[in-house]
Each structure stands twice: as C-alpha cells, then as structure tokens.
Amino acid sequence: MNTRLALLSAVDPGVTESEIFRLALQHAMGELGALGGMIHLRGPMSALRLVSASGLPAVLTRPWEIIDQEGPLAPARALHQSRGVWIPPGPGEQPRSGAVSWPGTGLAAAPVFSGDRGIGALTLVTGGQGEPTVEQWGFLQAVIAWAEERMQQSPPPARPPREELSGDRLRQALQEVRVGSWDWNVETGELVWDEAALELYGTRPAEFTGRIENWMRIVHPDDLAPTLGAAEKALRDRTLFEAEYRVRRLDGTYGWTQARARATYNAQGEPVRMIGVGWESNESRSARDALSRALRHMSDGFLAVDDHWRITFLNLAAERMLGFSEEELFGCVLWELPSVRQVPDLEKHCREAAAAQQPAGFDMDTPDTGRRLHLRLVPGPDGLTLHFTDVTEIRRHEDERAAAERAAAERAARIAELTASLAKATTSRDVVDAVAQRVLPPFGATGLVVQAIEGDRAYNVGAVGYPAAFLDTINGRARVARDPVWDPISSGTPLFLSSRAEYAARYPELAARPPQAGKQAWAFMPLTVSGHTFGVCVVSFDRQRRLSDEERTLLTTTSALVAQALERARLYDAEHTRSQELQRSLLPSRLPELPACTAAARYLPAGQGMDVGGDWYDIIPLSGGQVALVVGDVMGHGLPEAATMGRLRTAVHTLADLELPPDEIMSHLNDIVGGMAEESYATCLYALYDSTTQICSVARAGHPPPAVVHPDGSVYIPELAPDPPLGAAEPPFETFEMTVPDGSLLVLYTDGLVESATREIDDGMAELARLLRAAHEGPGDMAADLERLCDTVTAGLLPAEHSTADDAALLIARLHALTDDNMASWLLPEDPRAAGQARRHIREQLHTWGLDDLTPTTELLASELVGNVVRHAKGPVRLRLLHGSELVCEVFDGSLTVPRIRRASETDEGGRGLQLVTALSRRWGTRYTATGKCIWTEQPLFGPEGPTGLPTDVLDLPFLDTEEFARDLDALTSGDQELPGPAPQ
C-alpha cells in the first residue's frame, strides 16, 4: 500500500468534513506534485460550491466559490462525465475573475460520489509534469474513495441545511418578498433607506448613519468590488443599474439580494443622485436553479448565445444535435460550427430575430440525418436563446392528415360557404339564391326547385334554371301515390335518378315531364326539421349524371342545412308579413286634405333582415285654422316597438283633440312612456301651425329639429339645444316659435333618414338641406310636387342599393296662411247687448262672403255661445269668423270654465243650448288660450238645408218651432244697437 494511503487509513473515523477535505487535498497535492487544490460539493441551488482549498490564494479561489455544475469548468465536467478529466489552461477554462493569470500546466479533476450519486469534485492545479499518469489517477481515485468513506462517518453539520423551495412554498416565498427603496447622493455620499430597506440590508435604525459606508459594510466582501463596478458603469454610461449580491443579515448570515436603480444628472452631465429599489432574491435564485436543471435535461435542444453569438449554455439534447460536448462548445461562436453552417439561412434568421427583437420560428432539415427540426429563436436582454424540437414524426403525421383531409376540405369549404350564405339569408328567396350560388356550380347542376307543403299540395318556393311554363304545371300539384316529389317527402329519404330512362322506368306515367323541364338527371332531397318533412329540394342536371357516394352524402348534408334555413326563413316571412301589416295599420292610410297645409309622406323600413321599427308621422286637423304635424321614433325594432308606436300615436291624437299647448302634450307623452312596464324610449316632435297668424310652435323630445324651406328656396334649420327622449326627459318642455311665410315647406323626419353607421347626423342634416335647395333651384317645379320631392329626398339620403339598419319617416307639408279677407273679428260688450251685436256682425260679414244661406244658423250659434259667455263667464268677449273650406265661428272670453253638454229633461228650463249647438254645427269644441278660452263651431259651406237655411235634422228638434224662430230672430234683430268698429285681428 502507498505510504500516503496508509497514513490516511490511520485517521480515526468521525472527523469533520473540513478535516477530511484538508487531509485529502494535502496528500493528493503531495503525491502528484500539484501547486494547489480545491474541493467542490453540490449545493442546493444547482451550483458547485467551494468547500475547501489548499495552496491557492484567495484571488484565485474567489471566482470558484460558486460555479455552475452544468458548466464547462473542470469540476463540473468531471461530475457530469463521472470520470477524471485533465484540462490544459486556455480561454473559457476558468471563471471570468479578472486579470490574474492561472498558474500550472492544467487542472485535473475527479468526481466525488455518495453511493451512486455524484456529489462533487476534487480538483488539482498540476505542476510542471502536466497530465497525471495512470498510477497518479489511481492514487487520486483511492484518496477520493477514502474521503467518501470518511464523509459517511462524519458527524452532521452544526448549521441547519439551506431549504430548497419548490411548489407552493416557492410561490408563497415569492409573494412575501418586500421591496425596499433607497436614495444615494453621489456627490455627498449621503444614503437614505426606508423601513423595508433597513430590514432587507440587516441594519437596525439606531446603527444607520445615513452614509454609503452603511451599505459597504453589509455587502459580502467578494461581491463589493463587482457591485461597485456595476454602479460606476451605470453612472458613466447613463444606463440602468442592476446587480445581485449578498448582504449580511442581523443574525450574521448572508443572503442574496437584487437591486435596480437609475441616476439623475445635473446640467453639466455629472451624476447627482441614484434612486433605486432592492429585494431579497434567495427564493428567485432557487427557482432559476430549478429551471436550469429542467432545461439541462429536457428532451428538446436548448442553447443560449451572448451578444457576440458565443455559446453560453446548452443542454444535453443540443450537444447531441451539434455533435460536440458542452466543454467543447462553451464559448464557441455559433456560426463557426460545421453543423450550423450547413443549415441554409440559419444565420440570416437568427440575425434578423436579434435585430428586430422579435421571436421567430421556422423548420429546418438537418444534413445527412433526414430529420426535420423546428427552431424557435427568442431574443433576450443578454443575447438569444434557441429552442430545437425534432418535428420529423409530427410533420410526417401532419402530411398524412393533410392528404387524408384534402378531399374533405373542399367539401367542408362548400358546406361552410353554404352555411355562411344561409346564415345571412332571411327570406325564402334568399335561401333559394344561396343554394343556387353555392350548391349548383360545384356539382355541375343547372336546375333547382324548392317546394313546400301546404295541406296536400306542393307549392313552389323558388326555382332556378326552369321554364316558367313548366314551373306553373308543378306549382300546387296535389299528393299522388307515385311521384318523384312526393315519394321523398313520404319516405324521408333522398331519391337519385341518373337518366331519363331511369326516371321513365320508375315513373312511366310521368315520362313526359323530363322533356318539358329539359333535364337529364335529378336529386330529390326531402327537407326535414325536427322529424317533420315540410318540403323537397330538387337539384337537376342537363346531362346524365350518376352521383358518387360522397356526392350523395354531401347533397344530403346540404339538404339538412337548407331545411333549417328555409324553415327559419318561412317563419321570418310570416312574421315579417304580419309586422308589415301591423306597421301599415298603425300609420295613416292617407294624409288629410286641409286648407292649412298640403302634405306628402314616406315611411322607409329598415334593410333586409331587420324587424319593423317604431317611426311614425301624422297630421291632425285642429280648430281655428290650426293643424298639428307630428313625427316620432320609438327606439328599437320589433313588434313591441311597433305596438308602442301605435299607443303613442293614439295618445297624440287624444291629446291634440284636447287642444293642449305643444309643451303640455309632450309632458303627457313623457308620462305615458315613463309609465310603460318595459323600458321604452321614444323621440317626438310636435309642431302646431296656426294659419291665422302664420306662427308655428314646436316642442320636441330628443328629436332632430325641423327644416323650413322658404318660398325663395332658402333652407332654415333651427339650432335647438339637445334634449333627452321621452321616458328619460324631465318636464317642462321648451316651446320654440317661428313665423313661417305662406307657401313655405315644413320638413319633419326621423334620425334614420339623416344618420347611419357611416354618416353623422349633422352631415345628414346638411345633405338634407342641400337636397331641398337643389329641388327648388332645379329645372321644373319639383318643389311644388311634394310626392316627387319626397322621392328625391329619400333617394338622395337613402339610396336603394345601400341597406340601412334603421327605419325612417319623412313628412313634407306646404303651409297655407288664411288671408285677412277670409277672417273677421269683433270685440263685444260684456252685457246682454253682445248677442244682438254678434248677430249684426255675422249678417253683414256672411253677406260680404256670399254665405247668406248660413246666416240663420250662424246667428243662432253665435247667440247661444255669446249668451252663455255673458251669463256664465267674464270678458273680454270677442267674436271671430274664419272662411275656409268650412265656416268657423269662435267666441273668446276670459274664463277658464269649460261648458259641458248634458241631457235636459222636459221640465228643465236650461241645458238645451249645447244640444242645439251640436245639432246646428258639424262639430264644436273648446280650447284654452293665453287669456282664457275659445268656444268654436264648424259648419260646412254647402249641404242640405231646410226652408229657413237650417240643416234638415235641426228642423226635427222637438223644442224648435221654425216659424216662431224666424219671428223671434227678427224681433231680436230690431233691438240691435249701433255697432263699434271691427276689433284688431
């Protein structure tokens, strides 16, 4: 036995590990003539930690304190290769530790085991003899074996082992990290730490002096110089300062921390302050170590390069792909490797990814192996990572699947196109068109007929490629026992006939039908939804055609899609028809012909596929030469909105008949909309035009303002403040009044006419004004023809070729003023003389107008109305006559009391006056004015009259004696007083 080994054998068991390492290094150095030695053991962070050194100064051993066990250094190689290695000195064979040269002729390292597991390495710095001999390697192995045996017999370490975090414990530790902030005055050396920084850097508040020396004292000696160097570089280069180093805790142990900071500079460019943060990084280092181990042994190739394309890390799979070991590849430039140079465009792709700082990936074929790899390149802050995955089998399976699916892909594309077209189809016609465009061309078909069952007959829904005469013969065909249309419907299975001969053999009684249609082959497919067959789809060919099994399957699948779409379209057609009927019933069937205005209107429903809307318009004749013009829009589409529109239109009619001011009408409508159970909103514009004053009063709620076209062609759109719609507004509503000259156009519309997804409402209103001006200035008298003007406006704002998402309403009215010679007005005294004076005024004015036949009736009406005012109301009293399409008699007073008609008994002395007014006039009513009220009556200018000029139905009143009436009227007339002049109009 070797003498040194004998001495080691004499060492008592139970000595500490540090003593075992010291003895092993001394005898190994002595036997091999080495200059020095080190022992590294695996630590808990995937690193080899220096646990013992002999014969080497600290300046050399410091970089070796922690080395990567997967790295290229001698201890790591020996451990990784499980054998002794000798490495001559050279670049990359030692940590980057500074300018100190490494002594000796090389490094000899041998692994240390604990059982079958490698736990470290013993490394010697060889002297002048160079690589150890076989005998020396044997001695070295014997010394290591002695150390392994004694290590198993040594007592456990005095300090607790470092905990290796993983899983939930690691995530919890990462969440508990506290971040401390600090502020360093570079010029003065003053240092500010917050509470978290004091805790992080193991300093009690009482011991903190606020100087940079506080920080220098707690940094591990080995980390102080590089950390300061990093700070100086960041200050010099004006870059971000990032460093990781160890600091001393309060218990005297060292822990890893990270810091990040940025400096500020004065006007001269000199650094003034550095402000940053720091946090504990022990747990994150453990996580990185775990990731490093996973990358090292993953099945895919993984390597990293620095900014100069030198390899800094690669795993075992990458070594096998590149054909060299990690020791041979570490520090090599990637492009210098033969296996890399043989891959086309690899360098180009890598450099492009690095320049763009964007991940990239592509497949590449490796030379001589026939393997295909997918390379993923990911730029990072310290270089580039390359991830190689062998996708040879994956790509082969993909090619096989692609070949197997190639035929099915076309079929799926056809079905997808048809499905998309059918999804957009809303009507039955749309469904037929979609089938004709998407099904007939791929099969070379030339004809299509879709029929639906109603009762025991089949009716045409749509057809393509057939003569009209033939379609008439099959439309409404009754059910028969043997028929190519009814058989698939009855059986629920498709029927395919490839020739006329096959058709005639199956249906001899119908052999004359194919020549009439001009077809040679057919596919009859039943249309079934939820087990119910409601029709048939016939695809035909103008030549003999035997469909393959795949084609028949595709057509059968297609028929199922067509059935679903057609059933949905038929429901839509039915609902749309009902909705349109409801919409038409809710809108005016025709506009009234009034002396105050002539009008034309249009309602344009939303585009195809949209439900009915809630837009409406109306013209309501009122008393005293007044007319109400209304337009509104219930927000939304559908039957509920259309029903709401009908309710609002009825409400507007009711409120208008009460002759309320526009703002009060809007308030009542707002209450109605707000009281609806569902959340409903509506916009509305109510315009009240008085032909006697030419004043138009407008109230609105969330609706676009009206447009006024003056007789000279100028267009005026008032700028009104925006207001909320009905249901969200808060009364009172504002009333806007404007004077409208005789013959002007008042244009009312909804937002659907001027606003769309591609046009703002202001732009649409400007376009409306332009169209109205152009119509006035254009050739001919288009503005005079309101129907043509409506068509021009709607065509200009809503072209037929553009589908719209909202319905629109347009109302154009030409306003007519009542001239002064057709109006007469007088003030009356507030005493019994008023009735006689009223009759005198009426006789004279009606004689002037040539309406003498209406004098008795009008006198009687005026006497009754004026008498009631004198008896029950208060002044001032005013009488007005209006001569238009009818004769209007109005009596104004200062009272707000409204007369009520009641039924009088035979013994009552009063109560018959209003019955008489009702009988004598076509209609009568009351409206409030600014100073009181007005009671008015209307009489037709021409009508059946009795001998006294009274309507014949009045002559039959039981309490009226016509002869006595004439005598009394003359007596009343004889007592009339001299009349004052006419009152102002």
Side-chain angles (χ1 to χ4, degrees):
M1 176 184 291
N2 185 289
T3 304
R4 294 183 182 276
L5 293 177
L7 290 174
L8 290 175
S9 299
V11 176
D12 294 332
V15 297
T16 62
E17 285 187 355
S18 60
E19 182 65 14
I20 295 172
F21 297 152
R22 185 185 66 81
L23 291 173
L25 284 175
Q26 286 182 352
H27 286 285
M29 292 165 53
E31 182 68 21
L32 273 67
L35 302 178
M38 301 174 291
I39 292 180
H40 289 81
L41 294 182
R42 271 183 170 169
M45 294 165 54
S46 298
L48 290 175
R49 298 179 179 273
L50 180 64
V51 296
S52 182
S54 179
L56 298 174
V59 69
L60 289 178
T61 59
R62 186 176 296 116
W64 292 76
E65 287 184 347
I66 300 175
I67 64 174
D68 187 2
Q69 69 180 13
E70 305 295 342
L73 300 182
R77 290 193 184 186
L79 182 61
H80 179 64
Q81 298 178 12
S82 300
R83 61 180 180 84
V85 298
W86 182 80
I87 302 175
E93 303 304 334
Q94 57 180 316
R96 300 172 184 175
S97 57
V100 179
S101 300
W102 193 259
T105 58
L107 297 177
V112 179
F113 290 88
S114 176
D116 295 333
R117 179 176 177 271
I119 62 172
L122 184 150
T123 306
L124 298 178
V125 181
T126 57
Q129 67 180 15
E131 183 178 1
T133 63
V134 176
E135 292 77 9
Q136 289 174 332
W137 279 117
F139 175 81
L140 196 57
Q141 292 293 340
V143 170
I144 292 175
W146 170 83
E148 292 170 350
E149 180 183 1
R150 289 295 190 270
M151 287 171 62
Q152 294 177 0
Q153 300 170 358
S154 65
R159 62 179 179 85
R162 177 187 174 94
E163 181 182 7
E164 179 75 15
L165 300 180
S166 62
D168 295 338
R169 177 69 183 89
L170 176 58
R171 285 189 292 271
Q172 179 182 359
L174 290 172
Q175 293 172 356
E176 294 174 353
V177 170
R178 294 190 63 189
V179 178
S181 61
W182 48 269
D183 186 345
W184 172 33
N185 190 317
V186 180
E187 295 179 331
T188 64
E190 294 178 358
L191 183 64
V192 178
W193 281 346
D194 63 4
E195 181 181 349
L198 288 171
E199 180 181 350
L200 174 69
Y201 296 131
T203 304
R204 297 180 178 88
E207 300 173 352
F208 183 64
T209 62
R211 302 291 301 173
I212 191 62
E213 287 77 11
N214 286 106
W215 175 79
M216 297 177 67
R217 280 194 294 269
I218 56 94
V219 177
H220 192 283
D222 295 342
D223 299 340
L224 182 59
T227 305
L228 285 175
E232 293 174 357
K233 185 177 185 300
L235 292 173
R236 182 178 64 253
D237 299 340
R238 298 194 177 195
T239 58
L240 184 68
F241 166 67
E242 291 183 295
E244 186 172 17
Y245 50 88
R246 290 164 290 179
V247 298
R248 186 179 62 247
R249 299 190 180 96
L250 287 174
D251 59 2
T253 62
Y254 282 90
W256 284 96
T257 64
Q258 280 187 313
R260 182 174 296 172
R262 189 173 293 277
T264 60
Y265 300 83
N266 58 21
Q268 290 74 34
E270 298 176 350
V272 178
R273 298 169 61 194
M274 179 175 281
I275 303 172
V277 294
W279 63 92
E280 187 177 357
S281 61
N282 285 325
E283 310 300 355
S284 61
R285 289 175 63 88
S286 298
R288 289 199 303 272
D289 292 341
L291 177 61
S292 178
R293 286 194 299 271
L295 289 176
R296 179 64 178 168
H297 296 283
M298 66 188 298
S299 59
D300 294 339
F302 184 89
L303 65 87
V305 296
D306 61 14
D307 293 336
H308 301 289
W309 303 100
R310 290 191 295 265
I311 297 175
T312 59
F313 175 83
L314 73 163
N315 64 357
L316 298 176
E319 291 181 11
R320 291 190 294 270
M321 291 179 186
L322 298 177
F324 296 95
S325 65
E326 182 182 19
E327 291 82 358
E328 296 169 318
L329 293 173
F330 188 83
C332 295
V333 177
L334 183 63
W335 318 124
E336 296 178 355
L337 300 177
S339 55
V340 174
R341 289 198 301 267
Q342 295 177 4
V343 179
D345 296 329
L346 177 59
E347 181 177 358
K348 174 185 174 184
H349 287 298
C350 291
R351 292 190 181 277
E352 288 177 351
Q357 288 296 301
Q358 293 291 334
F362 60 93
D363 285 359
M364 64 179 188
D365 295 321
T366 58
D368 303 328
T369 64
R371 310 296 294 176
R372 174 168 293 184
L373 303 179
H374 181 77
L375 175 62
R376 178 72 174 170
L377 305 100
V378 181
D382 300 322
L384 195 75
T385 59
L386 295 87
H387 183 193
F388 299 90
T389 303
D390 190 333
V391 294
T392 304
E393 295 301 319
I394 295 176
R395 296 293 185 263
R396 184 177 63 82
H397 290 306
E398 290 176 352
D399 293 341
E400 292 176 355
R401 285 195 302 269
E405 295 171 358
R406 190 169 293 115
E410 184 178 357
R411 179 173 66 248
R414 293 174 183 172
I415 294 178
E417 292 174 357
L418 177 62
T419 303
S421 298
L422 294 177
K424 298 177 182 178
T426 54
T427 66
S428 300
R429 183 70 249 179
D430 295 338
V431 174
V432 174
D433 291 342
V435 175
Q437 294 173 8
R438 301 296 181 183
V439 176
L440 300 189
F443 289 92
T446 58
L448 172 69
V449 175
V450 178
Q451 291 189 306
I453 302 172
E454 294 182 14
D456 285 335
R457 293 184 177 273
Y459 293 92
N460 296 340
V461 175
V464 173
Y466 281 89
F470 174 78
L471 294 175
D472 292 338
T473 61
I474 64 173
N475 188 31
R477 181 175 174 81
R479 183 188 295 269
V480 294
R482 289 177 55 79
D483 188 278
V485 170
W486 286 102
D487 285 354
I489 295 175
S490 302
S491 64
T493 57
L495 172 63
F496 300 97
L497 301 175
S498 58
S499 65
R500 288 184 180 180
E502 186 177 354
Y503 188 106
R506 189 178 184 97
Y507 303 102
E509 65 278 8
L510 301 175
R513 183 180 294 179
Q516 296 175 0
K519 304 301 178 185
Q520 301 276 351
W522 302 263
F524 298 87
M525 295 164 291
L527 301 177
T528 305
V529 175
S530 301
H532 169 66
T533 301
F534 66 90
V536 64
C537 176
V538 183
V539 176
S540 56
F541 306 84
D542 57 5
R543 58 183 176 84
Q544 295 185 9
R545 180 83 153 80
R546 182 172 298 278
L547 298 172
S548 65
D549 292 341
E550 183 179 353
E551 290 175 324
R552 295 187 178 192
T553 301
L554 179 56
L555 280 175
T556 304
T557 303
T558 300
S559 67
L561 297 175
V562 173
Q564 294 283 349
L566 188 59
E567 179 71 4
R568 184 176 65 250
R570 294 175 69 203
L571 294 175
Y572 173 83
D573 290 340
E575 181 179 355
H576 192 63
T577 300
R578 291 192 297 269
S579 300
Q580 289 181 326
E581 291 175 352
L582 173 62
Q583 181 84 25
R584 285 192 295 269
S585 67
L586 294 176
L587 289 173
S589 57
R590 63 182 181 86
L591 295 177
E593 298 179 2
L594 303 174
C597 72
T598 54
R602 293 290 184 273
Y603 171 78
L604 290 86
Q608 184 173 339
M610 300 298 295
D611 290 330
V612 294
D615 289 19
W616 92 93
Y617 57 87
D618 216 338
I619 294 181
I620 306 172
L622 302 176
S623 66
Q626 298 182 108
V627 61
L629 300 98
V630 191
V631 64
D633 180 6
V634 177
M635 298 183 182
H637 294 85
L639 289 178
E641 285 71 19
T644 300
M645 178 267 284
R647 295 166 63 183
L648 290 181
R649 181 167 176 257
T650 302
V652 171
H653 265 271
T654 302
L655 295 170
D657 287 341
L658 296 177
E659 308 228 30
L660 299 176
D663 58 333
E664 293 188 25
I665 289 180
M666 298 305 291
S667 296
H668 287 298
L669 290 177
N670 186 64
D671 294 338
I672 293 173
V673 175
M676 293 181 178
E678 65 279 3
E679 286 192 2
S680 297
Y681 300 98
T683 66
C684 183
L685 186 146
Y686 185 94
L688 178 63
Y689 174 67
D690 189 341
S691 63
T692 65
T693 63
Q694 301 183 33
I695 292 177
C696 184
S697 303
V698 179
R700 66 186 190 122
H703 205 85
V708 179
V709 184
H710 293 105
D712 61 358
S714 61
V715 179
Y716 168 63
I717 299 179
E719 295 184 1
L720 304 178
D723 49 2
L726 298 174
E730 295 183 1
F733 289 86
E734 181 180 356
T735 300
F736 170 76
E737 292 187 350
M738 56 183 174
T739 301
V740 183
D742 181 37
S744 298
L745 298 181
L746 182 64
V747 181
L748 307 183
Y749 52 92
T750 58
D751 59 352
L753 184 71
V754 295
E755 185 180 29
S756 66
T758 59
R759 181 174 59 201
E760 296 292 337
I761 189 170
D762 291 340
D763 298 334
M765 292 168 58
E767 179 64 14
L768 170 63
R770 188 193 67 79
L771 291 172
L772 294 173
R773 283 193 300 268
H776 186 276
E777 299 169 357
D781 195 7
M782 180 183 295
D785 188 345
L786 297 184
E787 295 293 340
R788 287 180 57 198
L789 182 58
C790 284
D791 293 337
T792 301
V793 171
T794 54
L797 292 172
L798 300 175
E801 62 272 13
H802 294 164
S803 178
T804 59
D806 194 9
D807 52 344
L810 172 66
L811 175 62
I812 303 179
R814 186 179 303 279
L815 304 181
H816 306 293
L818 192 62
T819 58
D820 293 341
D821 57 348
N822 286 319
M823 294 185 291
S825 178
W826 305 270
L827 289 174
L828 301 177
E830 300 178 32
D831 55 41
R833 296 175 302 161
Q837 293 183 12
R839 290 191 294 273
R840 174 69 63 85
H841 291 311
I842 289 173
R843 281 196 300 273
E844 294 178 354
Q845 189 62 50
L846 294 187
H847 179 72
T848 301
W849 287 341
L851 300 176
D852 297 296
D853 292 341
L854 295 179
T855 298
T857 306
T858 309
E859 287 183 2
L860 185 57
L861 290 172
S863 296
E864 178 62 32
L865 298 181
V866 172
N868 281 337
V869 169
V870 172
R871 185 179 301 114
H872 301 293
K874 62 180 181 179
V877 183
R878 184 163 63 95
L879 171 68
R880 187 170 75 164
L881 296 178
L882 304 178
H883 179 201
S885 59
E886 64 276 318
L887 179 63
V888 178
C889 177
E890 298 177 328
V891 176
F892 297 83
D893 64 63
S895 171
L896 297 178
T897 303
V898 177
R900 306 289 183 185
I901 190 171
R902 64 184 179 87
R903 180 175 295 277
S905 64
E906 295 180 356
T907 60
D908 289 340
E909 295 182 359
R912 296 181 178 84
L914 291 183
Q915 295 184 30
L916 180 63
V917 171
T918 302
L920 292 175
S921 61
R922 183 168 63 183
R923 63 181 188 134
W924 71 277
T926 305
R927 69 175 182 271
Y928 290 106
T929 66
T931 59
K933 71 175 180 295
C934 170
I935 306 175
W936 54 269
T937 65
E938 287 184 3
Q939 303 171 72
L941 299 182
F942 305 98
E945 299 175 348
T948 62
L950 298 175
T952 54
D953 55 346
V954 177
L955 300 178
D956 297 331
L957 290 174
F959 56 82
L960 181 62
D961 186 326
T962 57
E963 295 181 359
E964 182 179 356
F965 169 75
R967 291 193 299 270
D968 291 344
L969 193 59
D970 291 338
L972 288 171
T973 305
S974 63
D976 292 343
Q977 303 295 322
E978 185 177 353
L979 303 179
Q985 297 294 318

